[in-house]
Each structure stands twice: as C-alpha cells, then as structure tokens.
C-alpha cells in the first residue's frame, strides 16, 4: 500500500451459528466463552496440524500454519 492510499486489503470473515444438545448433565464454568474457545481451538489444531504432538513454538511449519 502506497502512502496516501486508504484502500485496505479485503479481510474475509464468516459468521457461524450452531446448536448443540447435551446428552448428559454437564457443568460449564462462569466464563463459558473461554471454555468454548478452548474447545474450538483444540479442534482446529487437530484438523489443520500435521504435527499435533509438537509445540507450535518449535514447529518448522509454523510460518505457514493456519493454527499458529
């Protein structure tokens, strides 16, 4: 982007809505958002990471990784 050019690059985004039904009683902490974010983050890493057992900090694929 040149100096003075106010056009921002496109930033794709999506909005998802989901519904879940628990099959057994469960407990969520007072900060439910944090717990849900953790579950989705772990699931995302499982889907996109080819070296799940390795730390992201030491991974050679980190610069190209969707999770990192």
């Amino acid at each position: 982007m040149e100096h003075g050019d106010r056009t921002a690059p496109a930033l794709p985004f999506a909005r998802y809505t989901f519904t879940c039904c628990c099959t057994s009683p469960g407990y969520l902490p007072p900060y439910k958002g944090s717990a849900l974010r953790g579950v989705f983050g772990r699931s995302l890493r499982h889907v996109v990471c080819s070296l799940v057992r390795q730390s992201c900090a030491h991974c050679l694929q980190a610069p190209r990784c969707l999770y990192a």
Side-chain angles (χ1 to χ4, degrees), residues 15-29:
R15 178 179 292 185
Y16 299 94
T17 302
F18 72 97
T19 303
C20 64
C21 180
C22 298
T23 58
S24 62
Y27 169 78
L28 286 175

Side-chain angles (χ1 to χ4, degrees), residues 1-13:
M1 190 174 345
E2 293 182 26
H3 182 72
D5 186 8
R6 300 284 181 198
T7 305
L11 181 62
F13 70 95

Side-chain angles (χ1 to χ4, degrees), residues 2-3 6 9 24 29 32 35-36 50 54 65-66:
E2 293 182 26
H3 182 72
R6 300 284 181 198
S24 62
K32 295 166 189 65
L36 293 173
S50 59
Q54 183 173 336
C65 181
L66 293 174

